Amino acid sequence: MDSQSVNHSPDLPRELWIQIFDLLSRKDLLRSSTVCKEFYSYAMDPILWKTLDLKLSLDNLRLHQNLLSRCTMLLTLQLRGPATSHSETPKEALDSLVDVLSDKCIQLGSLETMNCPNLSTDQIAQLTNITTVCSIKQTTHFIMNNFGRNDYETTGTWQFNDQVITCHEAVTTDYYRKGNPYKILASPGSSIISFSFNILLERLSSVSISLNHCRTTADGVVCMTVNGKPVEMREDGSFGKKVIMAPRYNFGMESFSICLQQLHGGQNKVTICLDSSSPGVYWLSDVNIETFFT
């Protein structure tokens, strides 16, 4: 029987069909849309597509462009690039979707990107100037064992999208966490990991760095600098040495805000260094750098 000619339920009001389709996952909605024209109309109704989470790549770019062009009531969008340093998101894939968003998704209120190329000044203005105020959160997630897998490769520089990570005397090991390696900073005053990234100051509201880290019973401590300067704000408005003591015995994620006064347009660098007076080692597993624009 030709599925295009099937009359599924002429007496069922459209509003009820929409409620039924609203119970489906995004994947099932897309599958249902291929059954017939009637189901396509229900499954692709914009009211069902107010939130989206997409994995960005050139392979599915056309599909995402077509989907977003129909999501005229979209409120929240997440775009995810690859999780590792060995596969980057092509910038043209992000650029093409921004054009669709600014043209079709004029109700967009929140855009979050993970491991994607940074948006340009024009693109941020393009998105934040649509009908409703759109907030933008850009996150880069560094998995430390992706940078220098060899136990003897303690020093090196790697690039991931628009960011650069540099390690000096930082060993990769999984000795205490089998199958899930991490970095060890063991040489006081010499073991360093730094993250370089580009910042757009226009519309920038906050920047933070989150560390999934750990210390041992020897209480290893690190200090943090931004663009070579201390980051601990004092009561008088000056900045002093920022000393960080990670959770003991087990990894835990901690977030640290970066004062916007210490940033400049263009490339910036956050450095984590095992303090020269540290009595023990420091373990670092994952790092998130987050920038917010409004």
Side-chain angles (χ1 to χ4, degrees):
M1 180 182 294
D2 184 2
S3 62
Q4 298 291 334
S5 63
V6 174
N7 191 339
H8 294 282
S9 181
D11 298 325
L12 203 59
R14 180 179 179 83
E15 292 75 13
L16 187 54
W17 271 115
I18 296 299
Q19 292 182 34
I20 294 172
F21 274 74
D22 193 27
L23 301 175
L24 301 179
S25 66
R26 293 290 180 264
K27 183 179 293 187
D28 287 337
L29 280 174
L30 290 175
R31 288 173 176 168
S32 300
S33 70
T34 65
V35 173
C36 63
K37 291 182 179 180
E38 184 182 2
F39 272 29
Y40 180 87
S41 173
Y42 299 144
M44 300 307 298
D45 192 298
I47 201 170
L48 300 179
W49 297 90
K50 292 186 176 183
T51 62
L52 267 179
D53 185 347
L54 303 177
K55 187 174 182 180
L56 197 59
S57 73
L58 287 179
D59 293 338
N60 51 29
L61 179 58
R62 182 60 63 86
L63 172 64
H64 289 165
Q65 287 175 319
N66 292 336
L67 178 60
L68 288 175
S69 67
R70 293 191 59 88
C71 296
T72 55
M73 299 179 69
L74 185 66
L75 301 177
T76 302
L77 173 63
Q78 291 182 318
L79 297 175
R80 294 178 289 110
T84 70
S85 61
H86 308 293
S87 177
E88 297 185 5
T89 301
K91 192 173 187 306
E92 56 266 30
L94 182 63
D95 293 347
S96 63
L97 292 187
V98 169
D99 291 339
V100 176
L101 287 172
S102 59
D103 183 41
K104 300 293 185 180
C105 307
I106 60 174
Q107 296 187 43
L108 185 67
S110 173
L111 170 64
E112 296 186 13
T113 67
M114 169 70 78
N115 291 348
C116 295
N118 286 333
L119 297 169
S120 67
T121 302
D122 291 342
Q123 288 174 327
I124 290 175
Q126 191 177 353
L127 290 170
T128 52
N129 284 334
I130 56 181
T131 304
T132 58
V133 177
C134 178
S135 65
I136 300 172
K137 175 183 176 182
Q138 297 182 150
T139 302
T140 299
H141 181 208
F142 297 95
I143 302 174
M144 299 310 300
N145 65 36
N146 287 329
F147 307 96
R149 295 171 178 268
N150 191 315
D151 289 349
Y152 299 100
E153 191 179 5
T154 64
T155 299
T157 298
W158 299 267
Q159 185 164 354
F160 184 32
N161 285 322
D162 302 321
Q163 291 77 25
V164 177
I165 177 172
T166 300
C167 298
H168 180 71
E169 294 189 27
V171 178
T172 303
T173 182
D174 66 349
Y175 187 79
Y176 289 106
R177 200 171 66 169
K178 293 298 181 182
N180 194 0
Y182 49 90
K183 293 287 188 186
I184 292 182
L185 279 62
S187 301
S190 298
S191 291
I192 295 173
I193 299 178
S194 65
F195 305 89
S196 299
F197 52 97
N198 290 318
I199 285 289
L200 299 173
L201 296 182
E202 188 176 354
R203 299 179 185 269
L204 181 66
S205 59
S206 68
V207 179
S208 65
I209 181 169
S210 299
L211 308 174
N212 187 15
H213 55 179
C214 180
R215 62 188 166 101
T216 64
T217 53
D219 289 339
V221 295
V222 294
C223 55
M224 179 190 297
T225 61
V226 174
N227 294 324
K229 298 179 181 179
V231 297
E232 186 70 37
M233 180 174 278
R234 297 168 174 159
E235 291 184 0
D236 62 0
S238 63
F239 294 91
K241 185 177 182 180
K242 175 72 172 181
V243 176
I244 298 173
M245 185 172 286
R248 182 181 279 180
Y249 303 133
N250 200 3
F251 284 93
M253 186 71 81
E254 290 187 291
S255 183
F256 305 90
S257 296
I258 297 175
C259 182
L260 299 186
Q261 295 176 234
Q262 296 189 298
L263 301 172
H264 48 252
Q267 191 173 75
N268 293 261
K269 179 186 287 187
V270 175
T271 301
I272 307 294
C273 177
L274 189 66
D275 194 66
S276 57
S277 62
S278 179
V281 302
Y282 171 82
W283 303 348
L284 184 61
S285 175
D286 307 84
V287 176
N288 285 339
I289 295 179
E290 300 176 337
T291 55
F292 296 84
F293 299 88
T294 54

